[in-house]
Amino acid sequence: MTRTIDEVLAAARARLRRLDPGPAHDEWRRGALLVDIRPAAQRAAEGHVPGALVIERNVLEWRLDPAGDARIPEATGHDVRVIVLCSEGYTSSLAAASLQDLGLTGATDVVGGFRAWRAAGLPASAGPAAPVPCSS
């Protein structure tokens, strides 16, 4: 069976309860993890959310798998609320669905990504933020 990326994206989004930037910000302030998965070049060009965790897409599942050896300290269990942020809200949908596949059932993403976050007037700073260091 073959599918187009549009079909894969639609299937991923069908599983998510996606958040607009305002509600995502509110949940983050109440303790959800806001995880920016954009590569360094995008963060440098677009800016970043001060205080968000930066975990680039290529290591996301390893850092957030509560049962994994390479997890970050914030990955305390499968019930952790994770809100994924990318540039425009496409890659983040695929990433959030992948986290759900790991059992992080509360994983979701931000509709419109960082660009919508910034356009909504939510906290953003110029320049890149440093990613979470690799532990393995």
Side-chain angles (χ1 to χ4, degrees):
M1 178 177 98
T2 61
R3 298 188 294 171
T4 68
I5 188 59
D6 290 334
E7 292 168 329
V8 171
L9 180 62
R13 287 181 171 170
R15 299 168 33 190
L16 303 175
R17 297 186 75 200
R18 301 181 76 213
L19 298 171
D20 287 323
H25 181 254
D26 292 343
E27 284 201 33
W28 179 43
R29 287 185 19 204
R30 289 193 306 269
L33 298 180
L34 181 64
V35 179
D36 188 339
I37 63 169
R38 295 174 298 148
Q42 276 187 326
R43 293 191 316 274
E46 298 175 351
H48 67 279
V49 177
L53 288 173
V54 175
I55 305 174
E56 291 191 11
R57 178 67 189 96
N58 62 320
V59 295
L60 181 70
E61 291 84 355
W62 286 268
R63 299 297 176 258
L64 291 177
D65 180 359
D69 293 338
R71 72 183 173 277
I72 60 172
E74 294 86 351
T76 57
H78 289 93
D79 60 343
V80 171
R81 177 66 159 165
V82 178
I83 303 169
V84 184
L85 184 71
C86 71
S87 184
E88 295 181 328
Y90 294 94
T91 305
S92 58
S93 293
L94 299 175
S98 179
L99 292 175
Q100 286 187 355
D101 290 342
L102 288 176
L104 296 163
T105 57
T108 191
D109 74 325
V110 177
V111 175
F114 179 78
R115 292 181 182 186
W117 179 281
R118 187 180 54 216
L122 296 171
S125 295
V132 172
C134 294
S135 59
S136 59

PDB file of all heavy atoms in Angstrom, residues 102-135:
ATOM      1  N   LEU A 102       4.486   5.951  20.595  1.00  0.00           N
ATOM      2  CA  LEU A 102       5.310   5.520  21.737  1.00  0.00           C
ATOM      3  C   LEU A 102       4.504   5.427  23.028  1.00  0.00           C
ATOM      4  O   LEU A 102       5.044   5.075  24.067  1.00  0.00           O
ATOM      5  CB  LEU A 102       6.466   6.506  21.962  1.00  0.00           C
ATOM      6  CG  LEU A 102       7.592   6.493  20.964  1.00  0.00           C
ATOM      7  CD1 LEU A 102       8.590   7.601  21.284  1.00  0.00           C
ATOM      8  CD2 LEU A 102       8.293   5.142  20.971  1.00  0.00           C
ATOM      9  N   GLY A 103       3.218   5.788  22.966  1.00  0.00           N
ATOM     10  CA  GLY A 103       2.377   5.741  24.152  1.00  0.00           C
ATOM     11  C   GLY A 103       2.171   7.072  24.825  1.00  0.00           C
ATOM     12  O   GLY A 103       1.499   7.153  25.853  1.00  0.00           O
ATOM     13  N   LEU A 104       2.733   8.137  24.269  1.00  0.00           N
ATOM     14  CA  LEU A 104       2.516   9.479  24.821  1.00  0.00           C
ATOM     15  C   LEU A 104       1.195   9.998  24.254  1.00  0.00           C
ATOM     16  O   LEU A 104       1.149  10.806  23.325  1.00  0.00           O
ATOM     17  CB  LEU A 104       3.684  10.402  24.458  1.00  0.00           C
ATOM     18  CG  LEU A 104       5.022   9.978  25.054  1.00  0.00           C
ATOM     19  CD1 LEU A 104       6.179  10.657  24.352  1.00  0.00           C
ATOM     20  CD2 LEU A 104       5.054  10.281  26.541  1.00  0.00           C
ATOM     21  N   THR A 105       0.107   9.514  24.821  1.00  0.00           N
ATOM     22  CA  THR A 105      -1.217   9.745  24.258  1.00  0.00           C
ATOM     23  C   THR A 105      -1.647  11.207  24.274  1.00  0.00           C
ATOM     24  O   THR A 105      -2.525  11.590  23.510  1.00  0.00           O
ATOM     25  CB  THR A 105      -2.273   8.896  24.979  1.00  0.00           C
ATOM     26  OG1 THR A 105      -2.233   9.212  26.377  1.00  0.00           O
ATOM     27  CG2 THR A 105      -2.005   7.410  24.774  1.00  0.00           C
ATOM     28  N   GLY A 106      -1.039  12.019  25.109  1.00  0.00           N
ATOM     29  CA  GLY A 106      -1.375  13.441  25.172  1.00  0.00           C
ATOM     30  C   GLY A 106      -0.544  14.301  24.250  1.00  0.00           C
ATOM     31  O   GLY A 106      -0.650  15.528  24.293  1.00  0.00           O
ATOM     32  N   ALA A 107       0.260  13.695  23.396  1.00  0.00           N
ATOM     33  CA  ALA A 107       1.090  14.486  22.475  1.00  0.00           C
ATOM     34  C   ALA A 107       0.221  15.137  21.414  1.00  0.00           C
ATOM     35  O   ALA A 107      -0.720  14.531  20.897  1.00  0.00           O
ATOM     36  CB  ALA A 107       2.146  13.598  21.819  1.00  0.00           C
ATOM     37  N   THR A 108       0.538  16.371  21.099  1.00  0.00           N
ATOM     38  CA  THR A 108      -0.162  17.115  20.056  1.00  0.00           C
ATOM     39  C   THR A 108       0.773  18.158  19.481  1.00  0.00           C
ATOM     40  O   THR A 108       1.961  18.166  19.797  1.00  0.00           O
ATOM     41  CB  THR A 108      -1.467  17.740  20.596  1.00  0.00           C
ATOM     42  OG1 THR A 108      -2.239  18.227  19.492  1.00  0.00           O
ATOM     43  CG2 THR A 108      -1.185  18.870  21.581  1.00  0.00           C
ATOM     44  N   ASP A 109       0.225  19.048  18.656  1.00  0.00           N
ATOM     45  CA  ASP A 109       1.061  20.089  18.067  1.00  0.00           C
ATOM     46  C   ASP A 109       0.299  21.395  17.954  1.00  0.00           C
ATOM     47  O   ASP A 109      -0.886  21.473  18.284  1.00  0.00           O
ATOM     48  CB  ASP A 109       1.644  19.646  16.717  1.00  0.00           C
ATOM     49  CG  ASP A 109       0.636  19.635  15.584  1.00  0.00           C
ATOM     50  OD1 ASP A 109      -0.541  19.309  15.824  1.00  0.00           O
ATOM     51  OD2 ASP A 109       1.030  19.954  14.454  1.00  0.00           O
ATOM     52  N   VAL A 110       1.017  22.422  17.488  1.00  0.00           N
ATOM     53  CA  VAL A 110       0.464  23.771  17.366  1.00  0.00           C
ATOM     54  C   VAL A 110       0.062  24.019  15.918  1.00  0.00           C
ATOM     55  O   VAL A 110       0.895  23.918  15.011  1.00  0.00           O
ATOM     56  CB  VAL A 110       1.491  24.836  17.825  1.00  0.00           C
ATOM     57  CG1 VAL A 110       0.931  26.239  17.636  1.00  0.00           C
ATOM     58  CG2 VAL A 110       1.896  24.595  19.273  1.00  0.00           C
ATOM     59  N   VAL A 111      -1.200  24.357  15.723  1.00  0.00           N
ATOM     60  CA  VAL A 111      -1.696  24.699  14.390  1.00  0.00           C
ATOM     61  C   VAL A 111      -0.950  25.942  13.899  1.00  0.00           C
ATOM     62  O   VAL A 111      -0.900  26.967  14.590  1.00  0.00           O
ATOM     63  CB  VAL A 111      -3.213  24.984  14.429  1.00  0.00           C
ATOM     64  CG1 VAL A 111      -3.711  25.467  13.071  1.00  0.00           C
ATOM     65  CG2 VAL A 111      -3.989  23.759  14.904  1.00  0.00           C
ATOM     66  N   GLY A 112      -0.331  25.845  12.749  1.00  0.00           N
ATOM     67  CA  GLY A 112       0.396  26.990  12.179  1.00  0.00           C
ATOM     68  C   GLY A 112       1.818  27.130  12.671  1.00  0.00           C
ATOM     69  O   GLY A 112       2.554  27.992  12.187  1.00  0.00           O
ATOM     70  N   GLY A 113       2.229  26.324  13.648  1.00  0.00           N
ATOM     71  CA  GLY A 113       3.600  26.300  14.121  1.00  0.00           C
ATOM     72  C   GLY A 113       4.097  27.610  14.717  1.00  0.00           C
ATOM     73  O   GLY A 113       3.334  28.449  15.193  1.00  0.00           O
ATOM     74  N   PHE A 114       5.428  27.769  14.684  1.00  0.00           N
ATOM     75  CA  PHE A 114       6.066  28.951  15.271  1.00  0.00           C
ATOM     76  C   PHE A 114       5.595  30.228  14.593  1.00  0.00           C
ATOM     77  O   PHE A 114       5.433  31.253  15.246  1.00  0.00           O
ATOM     78  CB  PHE A 114       7.589  28.833  15.189  1.00  0.00           C
ATOM     79  CG  PHE A 114       8.299  30.034  15.751  1.00  0.00           C
ATOM     80  CD1 PHE A 114       8.435  30.191  17.125  1.00  0.00           C
ATOM     81  CD2 PHE A 114       8.805  31.021  14.926  1.00  0.00           C
ATOM     82  CE1 PHE A 114       9.076  31.306  17.660  1.00  0.00           C
ATOM     83  CE2 PHE A 114       9.449  32.129  15.442  1.00  0.00           C
ATOM     84  CZ  PHE A 114       9.577  32.270  16.813  1.00  0.00           C
ATOM     85  N   ARG A 115       5.369  30.171  13.306  1.00  0.00           N
ATOM     86  CA  ARG A 115       4.936  31.378  12.590  1.00  0.00           C
ATOM     87  C   ARG A 115       3.596  31.873  13.120  1.00  0.00           C
ATOM     88  O   ARG A 115       3.408  33.076  13.309  1.00  0.00           O
ATOM     89  CB  ARG A 115       4.894  31.124  11.094  1.00  0.00           C
ATOM     90  CG  ARG A 115       6.282  30.927  10.518  1.00  0.00           C
ATOM     91  CD  ARG A 115       6.253  30.696   9.041  1.00  0.00           C
ATOM     92  NE  ARG A 115       7.616  30.456   8.549  1.00  0.00           N
ATOM     93  CZ  ARG A 115       7.915  30.340   7.284  1.00  0.00           C
ATOM     94  NH1 ARG A 115       6.975  30.444   6.353  1.00  0.00           N
ATOM     95  NH2 ARG A 115       9.161  30.120   6.913  1.00  0.00           N
ATOM     96  N   ALA A 116       2.675  30.970  13.399  1.00  0.00           N
ATOM     97  CA  ALA A 116       1.385  31.354  13.965  1.00  0.00           C
ATOM     98  C   ALA A 116       1.548  31.808  15.416  1.00  0.00           C
ATOM     99  O   ALA A 116       0.876  32.735  15.866  1.00  0.00           O
ATOM    100  CB  ALA A 116       0.400  30.191  13.875  1.00  0.00           C
ATOM    101  N   TRP A 117       2.442  31.147  16.149  1.00  0.00           N
ATOM    102  CA  TRP A 117       2.741  31.523  17.537  1.00  0.00           C
ATOM    103  C   TRP A 117       3.200  32.977  17.593  1.00  0.00           C
ATOM    104  O   TRP A 117       2.677  33.780  18.352  1.00  0.00           O
ATOM    105  CB  TRP A 117       3.814  30.581  18.068  1.00  0.00           C
ATOM    106  CG  TRP A 117       4.292  30.806  19.462  1.00  0.00           C
ATOM    107  CD1 TRP A 117       5.187  31.745  19.879  1.00  0.00           C
ATOM    108  CD2 TRP A 117       3.915  30.076  20.635  1.00  0.00           C
ATOM    109  NE1 TRP A 117       5.402  31.639  21.227  1.00  0.00           N
ATOM    110  CE2 TRP A 117       4.628  30.622  21.723  1.00  0.00           C
ATOM    111  CE3 TRP A 117       3.054  29.000  20.851  1.00  0.00           C
ATOM    112  CZ2 TRP A 117       4.501  30.135  23.017  1.00  0.00           C
ATOM    113  CZ3 TRP A 117       2.938  28.511  22.139  1.00  0.00           C
ATOM    114  CH2 TRP A 117       3.650  29.078  23.207  1.00  0.00           C
ATOM    115  N   ARG A 118       4.180  33.290  16.750  1.00  0.00           N
ATOM    116  CA  ARG A 118       4.725  34.650  16.711  1.00  0.00           C
ATOM    117  C   ARG A 118       3.660  35.648  16.247  1.00  0.00           C
ATOM    118  O   ARG A 118       3.530  36.733  16.822  1.00  0.00           O
ATOM    119  CB  ARG A 118       5.946  34.698  15.808  1.00  0.00           C
ATOM    120  CG  ARG A 118       6.684  36.037  15.851  1.00  0.00           C
ATOM    121  CD  ARG A 118       7.888  36.069  14.948  1.00  0.00           C
ATOM    122  NE  ARG A 118       7.481  35.696  13.596  1.00  0.00           N
ATOM    123  CZ  ARG A 118       8.218  34.995  12.753  1.00  0.00           C
ATOM    124  NH1 ARG A 118       9.418  34.597  13.088  1.00  0.00           N
ATOM    125  NH2 ARG A 118       7.773  34.687  11.561  1.00  0.00           N
ATOM    126  N   ALA A 119       2.876  35.301  15.230  1.00  0.00           N
ATOM    127  CA  ALA A 119       1.824  36.181  14.716  1.00  0.00           C
ATOM    128  C   ALA A 119       0.752  36.452  15.768  1.00  0.00           C
ATOM    129  O   ALA A 119       0.121  37.513  15.749  1.00  0.00           O
ATOM    130  CB  ALA A 119       1.194  35.569  13.464  1.00  0.00           C
ATOM    131  N   ALA A 120       0.565  35.521  16.703  1.00  0.00           N
ATOM    132  CA  ALA A 120      -0.411  35.701  17.777  1.00  0.00           C
ATOM    133  C   ALA A 120       0.128  36.596  18.892  1.00  0.00           C
ATOM    134  O   ALA A 120      -0.583  36.875  19.862  1.00  0.00           O
ATOM    135  CB  ALA A 120      -0.823  34.340  18.342  1.00  0.00           C
ATOM    136  N   GLY A 121       1.381  37.024  18.766  1.00  0.00           N
ATOM    137  CA  GLY A 121       1.972  37.904  19.774  1.00  0.00           C
ATOM    138  C   GLY A 121       2.440  37.185  21.017  1.00  0.00           C
ATOM    139  O   GLY A 121       2.646  37.824  22.060  1.00  0.00           O
ATOM    140  N   LEU A 122       2.652  35.892  20.919  1.00  0.00           N
ATOM    141  CA  LEU A 122       3.116  35.116  22.074  1.00  0.00           C
ATOM    142  C   LEU A 122       4.628  35.244  22.214  1.00  0.00           C
ATOM    143  O   LEU A 122       5.303  35.678  21.284  1.00  0.00           O
ATOM    144  CB  LEU A 122       2.678  33.666  21.911  1.00  0.00           C
ATOM    145  CG  LEU A 122       1.156  33.493  21.911  1.00  0.00           C
ATOM    146  CD1 LEU A 122       0.764  32.071  21.527  1.00  0.00           C
ATOM    147  CD2 LEU A 122       0.566  33.866  23.261  1.00  0.00           C
ATOM    148  N   PRO A 123       5.183  34.891  23.372  1.00  0.00           N
ATOM    149  CA  PRO A 123       6.612  35.089  23.615  1.00  0.00           C
ATOM    150  C   PRO A 123       7.497  34.467  22.534  1.00  0.00           C
ATOM    151  O   PRO A 123       7.368  33.284  22.204  1.00  0.00           O
ATOM    152  CB  PRO A 123       6.848  34.393  24.962  1.00  0.00           C
ATOM    153  CG  PRO A 123       5.525  34.380  25.622  1.00  0.00           C
ATOM    154  CD  PRO A 123       4.509  34.266  24.519  1.00  0.00           C
ATOM    155  N   ALA A 124       8.371  35.286  21.976  1.00  0.00           N
ATOM    156  CA  ALA A 124       9.322  34.843  20.954  1.00  0.00           C
ATOM    157  C   ALA A 124      10.525  35.765  20.997  1.00  0.00           C
ATOM    158  O   ALA A 124      10.396  36.958  21.264  1.00  0.00           O
ATOM    159  CB  ALA A 124       8.687  34.855  19.568  1.00  0.00           C
ATOM    160  N   SER A 125      11.689  35.204  20.755  1.00  0.00           N
ATOM    161  CA  SER A 125      12.925  35.968  20.733  1.00  0.00           C
ATOM    162  C   SER A 125      13.656  35.706  19.424  1.00  0.00           C
ATOM    163  O   SER A 125      13.475  34.655  18.810  1.00  0.00           O
ATOM    164  CB  SER A 125      13.849  35.556  21.896  1.00  0.00           C
ATOM    165  OG  SER A 125      13.262  35.898  23.124  1.00  0.00           O
ATOM    166  N   ALA A 126      14.492  36.636  19.052  1.00  0.00           N
ATOM    167  CA  ALA A 126      15.297  36.469  17.843  1.00  0.00           C
ATOM    168  C   ALA A 126      16.433  35.495  18.103  1.00  0.00           C
ATOM    169  O   ALA A 126      16.874  35.329  19.243  1.00  0.00           O
ATOM    170  CB  ALA A 126      15.855  37.818  17.402  1.00  0.00           C
ATOM    171  N   GLY A 127      16.895  34.861  17.041  1.00  0.00           N
ATOM    172  CA  GLY A 127      18.053  33.988  17.134  1.00  0.00           C
ATOM    173  C   GLY A 127      17.715  32.601  17.608  1.00  0.00           C
ATOM    174  O   GLY A 127      16.611  32.331  18.060  1.00  0.00           O
ATOM    175  N   PRO A 128      18.684  31.700  17.510  1.00  0.00           N
ATOM    176  CA  PRO A 128      18.457  30.308  17.864  1.00  0.00           C
ATOM    177  C   PRO A 128      18.522  30.037  19.362  1.00  0.00           C
ATOM    178  O   PRO A 128      19.180  30.756  20.094  1.00  0.00           O
ATOM    179  CB  PRO A 128      19.593  29.574  17.138  1.00  0.00           C
ATOM    180  CG  PRO A 128      20.684  30.578  17.123  1.00  0.00           C
ATOM    181  CD  PRO A 128      20.013  31.923  16.954  1.00  0.00           C
ATOM    182  N   ALA A 129      17.802  29.016  19.767  1.00  0.00           N
ATOM    183  CA  ALA A 129      17.932  28.478  21.115  1.00  0.00           C
ATOM    184  C   ALA A 129      18.726  27.187  20.986  1.00  0.00           C
ATOM    185  O   ALA A 129      18.656  26.494  19.983  1.00  0.00           O
ATOM    186  CB  ALA A 129      16.574  28.220  21.718  1.00  0.00           C
ATOM    187  N   ALA A 130      19.467  26.850  22.006  1.00  0.00           N
ATOM    188  CA  ALA A 130      20.309  25.643  21.966  1.00  0.00           C
ATOM    189  C   ALA A 130      19.474  24.401  22.174  1.00  0.00           C
ATOM    190  O   ALA A 130      18.557  24.386  22.993  1.00  0.00           O
ATOM    191  CB  ALA A 130      21.391  25.735  23.035  1.00  0.00           C
ATOM    192  N   PRO A 131      19.773  23.318  21.435  1.00  0.00           N
ATOM    193  CA  PRO A 131      19.047  22.070  21.638  1.00  0.00           C
ATOM    194  C   PRO A 131      19.446  21.386  22.940  1.00  0.00           C
ATOM    195  O   PRO A 131      20.483  21.680  23.532  1.00  0.00           O
ATOM    196  CB  PRO A 131      19.454  21.214  20.443  1.00  0.00           C
ATOM    197  CG  PRO A 131      20.734  21.799  19.961  1.00  0.00           C
ATOM    198  CD  PRO A 131      20.737  23.246  20.352  1.00  0.00           C
ATOM    199  N   VAL A 132      18.581  20.461  23.371  1.00  0.00           N
ATOM    200  CA  VAL A 132      18.882  19.635  24.540  1.00  0.00           C
ATOM    201  C   VAL A 132      20.118  18.808  24.194  1.00  0.00           C
ATOM    202  O   VAL A 132      20.183  18.210  23.121  1.00  0.00           O
ATOM    203  CB  VAL A 132      17.671  18.719  24.859  1.00  0.00           C
ATOM    204  CG1 VAL A 132      18.030  17.722  25.929  1.00  0.00           C
ATOM    205  CG2 VAL A 132      16.474  19.550  25.242  1.00  0.00           C
ATOM    206  N   PRO A 133      21.124  18.765  25.058  1.00  0.00           N
ATOM    207  CA  PRO A 133      22.332  17.985  24.754  1.00  0.00           C
ATOM    208  C   PRO A 133      22.036  16.509  24.589  1.00  0.00           C
ATOM    209  O   PRO A 133      21.158  15.966  25.249  1.00  0.00           O
ATOM    210  CB  PRO A 133      23.227  18.213  25.974  1.00  0.00           C
ATOM    211  CG  PRO A 133      22.647  19.360  26.708  1.00  0.00           C
ATOM    212  CD  PRO A 133      21.197  19.437  26.338  1.00  0.00           C
ATOM    213  N   CYS A 134      22.766  15.870  23.704  1.00  0.00           N
ATOM    214  CA  CYS A 134      22.634  14.437  23.504  1.00  0.00           C
ATOM    215  C   CYS A 134      23.327  13.707  24.655  1.00  0.00           C
ATOM    216  O   CYS A 134      24.431  14.054  25.028  1.00  0.00           O
ATOM    217  CB  CYS A 134      23.267  14.012  22.175  1.00  0.00           C
ATOM    218  SG  CYS A 134      22.420  14.663  20.751  1.00  0.00           S
ATOM    219  N   SER A 135      22.654  12.697  25.193  1.00  0.00           N
ATOM    220  CA  SER A 135      23.273  11.940  26.276  1.00  0.00           C
ATOM    221  C   SER A 135      23.802  10.599  25.807  1.00  0.00           C
ATOM    222  O   SER A 135      24.434   9.886  26.553  1.00  0.00           O
ATOM    223  CB  SER A 135      22.267  11.741  27.422  1.00  0.00           C
ATOM    224  OG  SER A 135      21.134  11.052  26.952  1.00  0.00           O
TER     225      SER A 135
END
